[in-house]
Amino acid sequence: MPLNKERGSRMKRLICILLAAMTALSLAACQKTPEKVTVVKKDMERMIEQASSEDNGNKLSELGIPDEHYAFNSELADGRLKINVDADIRIPEADTIPIRKVSMGVFSQEAVTGIFNYLFEGEQAFDISQTRMTKADYEKRILGYRQTLADKSYLENDQTEQEILDLIAIAEEEYEKAPESLSEPSVSNGTMVKGQNIKSPSLSSASLLVQTEDGNKSLTIFTPSSASKEDLKNNSSENMNMLRYRVLNSPAYTTKGMQRTDGTSLPEETANKLTISFDEAQALCDGLFSAAGMQEDFCVGAAFLIDDKGTGLVDGKWENGQYIEGSKEAAENYAYQFYYTREADSIPLAVYTTNGGAGNPEFSIPWGYEYICFTVDNSGIVSIIWTNPIIIGEVVQEDAIMKPFDEIITIFENMVKVTYQSMIDTLYAGEGSIEINVDDVELCLLRVREQNGDETAGLLIPAWVFYGHSIGTDQTGYKSYDLTSYGGASRWPEAPITLLAINAVDGTIIDLSKGY
């Protein structure tokens, strides 16, 4: 979700500082907290042993989980840290929670063919994976870069002179390989091209780049050729396992001002313009998984209403780093946005609403959490982003023993203070403030990585996930929403993020930036 260019450098600086803060937190977490709660690295064998020992805790039915809301309020640091919890508690409709193996996956040719046929039914899509620029096109690009150097306009885009020089060098290299004229693109049947790694063509990978003749609909897929360790290790970029579908003539929807929905009781202004029902829109998304021939179960983890005016928040302007509200014009177009997640043993995985993350330098292979997001309006599916597919493996523990709910809550109430007070001290030098608002608590499955072993494998473990929003305010009054160690920040609250995740087996904090 792109940030406004005028605040790009500020956000980059904040995120870099935040990463430093999380590093500091990982050190601080080994010290005593108010209740002597510690954060330790996960040892897979030890954790599986704990999950099988009744001395460690209780089975799912004996955790003492209340049916009502969980509420909690606290203020620290002279009121500069406010924690507000008023949340539904969601638990799986299951008698037991197994622990399963999990590994990195790929988009298989069978799945891609099904998805391609589903999205382009009755239409021709053309292969655009080959070079679509001539020598004349590259000449124009090089001249544009040189003009940017001359007038220093690159500064407006937060770029450096060296970055432009590097772009010129790349364009000059591509110019030498470019044809004088282009051949007609061929009609695609959805077959991926091997060895077309966008970063390095020599690596074992597969890709599909197609669009309709008018350029309105496009599908882009990059994935390793297989789920073998070697192929996954050779394709270690976070952007190398992704699917993106776009309809370009759809309205410019924004997630600013998005509203959670289950399809009932739509606001009147929305109901008058969004004529496709929630169920119809979800059925279109479900149809893609069926078309892909996937045996796994997928479910909607969260759903929202979005529009082309951000509930009146996007028609203002930026001046001197501050947003000045506009006339708050009414939206003309509305859409549903669905965040999907997988299920294992009828238990959903945690909902991931931030595309990216979990690329900690501790591991040579980045492994972001699976992210699946659909946008559907009256015309049908207009956008899909799907990254980091996984493979759910065998059961290693059939009935996980977990910490009692009251013990988990004690850990949360202690560690949410430690985590975010550390961010205040590091991000804002103790002068800013952070407000935490938790509105959803879920016992679900969450992937943790295997440490000191196979970097492409891990476990799906039971975890308590606390969803909501964080609002950081610096000493000038500038607000940043949902700064995390595994994603960016926004000027407005968007889809709820994971504010804290607790391993339900051993009570330790799961760091989503590291994946364990």
Side-chain angles (χ1 to χ4, degrees):
M1 301 176 185
L3 302 175
N4 186 285
K5 288 182 179 178
E6 187 170 339
R7 62 192 178 90
S9 58
R10 170 173 264 180
M11 284 296 99
K12 288 179 182 177
R13 178 174 60 84
L14 281 175
I15 291 169
C16 289
I17 294 173
L18 178 61
L19 290 173
M22 295 307 291
T23 300
L25 174 61
S26 68
L27 297 174
C30 294
Q31 309 300 318
K32 290 183 178 181
T33 70
E35 297 294 333
K36 298 183 180 180
V37 179
T38 59
V39 179
V40 296
K41 290 187 174 183
K42 310 298 180 292
D43 178 272
M44 297 295 185
E45 293 181 2
R46 178 189 59 80
M47 186 171 61
I48 293 173
E49 288 177 2
Q50 285 184 272
S52 62
S53 172
E54 294 193 14
D55 292 337
N56 178 62
N58 303 102
K59 295 184 177 181
L60 176 59
S61 62
E62 302 167 342
L63 295 181
I65 303 171
D67 295 329
E68 65 272 11
H69 271 44
Y70 159 53
F72 171 71
N73 295 279
S74 182
E75 288 192 13
L76 293 88
D78 298 323
R80 286 181 290 107
L81 174 59
K82 296 181 180 180
I83 301 166
N84 308 303
V85 182
D86 185 10
D88 288 328
I89 301 172
R90 291 187 288 135
I91 61 174
E93 296 180 1
D95 296 324
T96 62
I97 301 184
I99 295 176
R100 283 184 176 269
K101 290 184 178 180
V102 65
S103 59
M104 293 185 187
V106 300
F107 292 103
S108 69
Q109 181 59 67
E110 178 185 7
V112 169
T113 299
I115 290 170
F116 172 86
N117 291 334
Y118 184 74
L119 295 174
F120 292 96
E121 184 179 7
E123 298 180 277
Q124 283 189 329
F126 293 86
D127 179 3
I128 58 170
S129 61
Q130 302 303 314
T131 299
R132 304 309 299 166
M133 289 181 65
T134 64
K135 288 187 182 296
D137 294 327
Y138 278 109
E139 285 177 351
K140 292 178 182 178
R141 176 172 290 186
I142 292 167
L143 288 173
Y145 288 145
R146 288 175 176 163
Q147 180 60 42
T148 296
L149 278 179
D151 60 21
K152 298 186 182 299
S153 58
Y154 58 84
L155 296 173
E156 298 175 6
N157 297 322
D158 197 27
Q159 292 175 295
T160 66
E161 179 179 346
Q162 186 58 52
E163 287 175 334
I164 302 302
L165 290 172
D166 291 343
L167 289 173
I168 290 174
I170 293 171
E172 288 177 339
E173 183 179 341
E174 294 298 322
Y175 170 86
E176 297 299 327
K177 299 182 291 184
E180 294 289 349
S181 60
L182 298 177
S183 59
E184 289 297 320
S186 59
V187 176
S188 175
N189 63 1
T191 300
M192 292 190 288
V193 179
K194 295 294 180 67
Q196 292 295 310
N197 187 304
I198 192 173
K199 298 293 184 182
S200 176
S202 65
L203 296 183
S204 179
S205 59
S207 66
L208 181 70
L209 289 84
V210 298
Q211 67 179 27
T212 52
E213 187 172 12
D214 59 7
N216 182 48
K217 293 171 64 174
S218 66
L219 174 64
T220 300
I221 298 174
F222 292 111
T223 194
S225 293
S226 72
S228 71
K229 294 178 184 177
E230 192 61 29
D231 276 342
L232 291 168
K233 288 178 180 178
N234 284 340
N235 294 271
S236 58
S237 168
E238 281 192 65
N239 298 321
M240 282 310 304
N241 211 351
M242 57 83 69
L243 177 156
R244 183 178 180 89
Y245 171 75
R246 291 187 294 177
V247 178
L248 295 181
N249 69 359
S250 61
Y253 293 114
T254 173
T255 53
K256 297 182 176 77
M258 64 198 310
Q259 306 171 60
R260 189 183 286 272
T261 184
D262 60 2
T264 61
S265 303
L266 296 181
E268 182 178 355
E269 64 274 16
T270 305
N272 290 337
K273 295 178 179 178
L274 187 59
T275 56
I276 185 173
S277 73
F278 183 95
D279 291 342
E280 290 169 335
Q282 182 180 341
L284 290 176
C285 303
D286 292 342
L288 182 129
F289 300 115
S290 297
M294 293 185 169
Q295 301 303 312
E296 303 95 330
D297 293 323
F298 293 83
C299 65
V300 175
F304 302 88
L305 290 174
I306 58 175
D307 61 50
D308 58 355
K309 284 295 182 183
T311 317
L313 296 176
V314 298
D315 57 348
K317 61 182 179 179
W318 286 85
E319 285 187 1
N320 301 320
Q322 297 294 325
Y323 184 79
I324 301 173
E325 289 188 348
S327 58
K328 292 194 174 183
E329 298 175 7
E332 292 297 325
N333 300 280
Y334 290 85
Y336 299 103
Q337 190 163 87
F338 297 96
Y339 290 88
Y340 271 74
T341 187
R342 292 182 192 250
E343 290 184 324
D345 305 294
S346 300
I347 302 167
L349 276 64
V351 184
Y352 204 70
T353 59
T354 303
N355 183 20
N360 191 277
E362 178 180 341
F363 298 97
S364 61
I365 303 176
W367 189 5
Y369 285 92
E370 186 168 31
Y371 171 93
I372 309 173
C373 181
F374 291 82
T375 302
V376 184
D377 66 9
N378 294 334
S379 66
I381 298 173
V382 296
S383 173
I384 306 170
I385 302 176
W386 184 352
T387 62
N388 302 305
I390 60 173
I391 299 172
I392 297 176
E394 64 184 21
V395 172
V396 296
Q397 173 58 39
E398 293 185 354
D399 189 357
I401 300 297
M402 294 169 282
K403 296 291 184 184
F405 182 75
D406 57 358
E407 187 171 335
I408 293 294
I409 289 304
T410 298
I411 293 170
F412 167 78
E413 292 178 359
N414 287 325
M415 291 309 298
V416 72
K417 298 173 185 177
V418 172
T419 301
Y420 289 98
Q421 185 162 342
S422 174
M423 287 175 59
I424 288 179
D425 295 339
T426 308
L427 277 176
Y428 302 127
E431 297 183 14
S433 64
I434 293 180
E435 181 178 336
I436 303 299
N437 297 304
V438 178
D439 55 21
D440 193 15
V441 178
E442 180 182 23
L443 176 60
C444 56
L445 294 171
L446 184 61
R447 185 262 294 165
V448 292
R449 295 184 75 156
E450 180 178 340
Q451 295 173 262
N452 305 317
D454 183 359
E455 291 194 27
T456 66
L459 294 176
L460 290 179
I461 65 166
W464 285 99
V465 179
F466 296 77
Y467 300 102
H469 292 289
S470 63
I471 309 169
T473 306
D474 68 15
Q475 42 274 59
T476 70
Y478 185 91
K479 293 184 181 296
S480 300
Y481 288 84
D482 302 336
L483 275 168
T484 71
S485 59
Y486 57 91
S490 173
R491 179 63 179 87
W492 306 103
E494 299 180 284
I497 64 168
T498 296
L499 294 168
L500 206 68
I502 301 175
N503 186 327
V505 173
D506 62 17
T508 54
I509 303 301
I510 299 171
D511 184 344
L512 296 189
S513 69
K514 296 179 178 178
Y516 62 78

